[in-house]
Amino acid sequence: MIQKRLKTTSANSFQEAWKLYEDAFPPQERRLWHEQKYILQNDKYHFDVYIRKNQFTGFLLWWNFGTFRYIDHFATIAAQRNKGIGKQILQDFLNLNATPIILEVELPSSHIEQRRIQFYKRLGFQLNHHYYEIPPSEKNQSPLQLLLMSYPHPLTDNDVELFVEKYLPMTFSPES
């Protein structure tokens, strides 16, 4: 599998990745196009796409904050789900270095959300139970409550506070 880092919205594979992004995430969990274009300029942000057998397979959108990595969004195309591709992408990401990782998951109110949490747990992620919400992606929306998962250890209250106060605001563009 080939990993490519995209730096612009005009890059090859960006349109396919954007379509998957819009299909895989509800509006309150994703950025608008102009926000994504702005975020791509940040050196801490990584928009990685994966190509397998010359076909776009998925993406991993993440931030490198030095003391931890934050997985912003992750998805594989429907045809590649339940085949171990997502597991392989994340396992390779975990093995890059020993820097701890944070990601968000929806509250486990449906079977799909429960399966997603179990998928991450099988990879070694810890489910944290701190109260956590993200700001609305549009002005007419409410904040969205999510749960944080972390690898390889659970988060402390100080870890969550640092993430929410210092790093989470970076992940939104000024127009948000």
Side-chain angles (χ1 to χ4, degrees):
M1 190 165 351
I2 298 169
Q3 173 192 341
K4 293 182 180 179
R5 178 143 309 139
L6 305 184
K7 296 302 271 175
T8 69
T9 56
S10 61
N12 289 342
S13 302
F14 188 86
Q15 291 299 328
E16 288 177 288
W18 189 256
K19 169 102 174 77
L20 175 58
Y21 179 77
E22 290 184 320
D23 291 346
F25 296 95
Q28 65 269 27
E29 292 182 31
R30 63 181 190 235
R31 290 183 186 89
L32 299 173
W33 176 272
H34 72 277
E35 295 169 335
Q36 184 63 54
K37 192 172 182 177
Y38 175 83
I39 294 293
L40 281 168
Q41 298 170 32
N42 191 314
D43 289 338
K44 291 177 174 39
Y45 183 69
H46 304 271
F47 194 116
D48 294 342
V49 297
Y50 293 84
I51 311 297
R52 184 172 183 256
K53 297 180 181 177
N54 294 319
Q55 297 277 329
F56 169 75
T57 301
F59 61 74
L60 181 64
L61 314 181
W62 64 281
W63 295 80
N64 184 353
F65 291 123
T67 56
F68 68 90
R69 294 175 284 165
Y70 165 57
I71 296 176
D72 199 346
H73 292 90
F74 167 65
T76 57
I77 60 171
Q80 296 299 327
R81 293 183 190 142
N82 299 312
K83 294 182 179 180
I85 303 298
K87 178 182 177 182
Q88 179 185 350
I89 291 169
L90 283 178
Q91 195 66 58
D92 290 348
F93 185 72
L94 296 175
N95 293 334
L96 279 177
N97 59 53
T99 306
I101 301 167
I102 296 174
L103 61 81
E104 302 161 334
V105 291
E106 296 164 321
L107 301 177
S109 55
S110 77
H111 178 70
I112 290 173
E113 291 145 355
Q114 292 167 11
R115 282 189 64 199
R116 190 172 296 121
I117 290 169
Q118 290 306 313
F119 168 75
Y120 290 120
K121 281 185 172 182
R122 285 192 300 274
L123 289 166
F125 281 86
Q126 308 289 317
L127 183 62
N128 296 271
H129 295 284
H130 304 84
Y131 183 82
Y132 172 75
E133 64 182 29
I134 60 171
S137 58
E138 295 186 39
K139 291 181 180 168
N140 61 344
Q141 296 174 339
S142 299
L144 178 65
Q145 185 179 357
L146 298 169
L147 293 172
L148 292 173
M149 295 190 79
S150 55
Y151 177 90
H153 305 292
L155 298 172
T156 66
D157 290 339
N158 287 342
D159 294 334
V160 174
E161 187 176 316
L162 175 68
F163 177 66
V164 169
E165 290 179 7
K166 185 173 181 182
Y167 297 115
L168 187 61
M170 265 192 224
T171 68
F172 292 89
S173 74
E175 296 97 24
S176 294

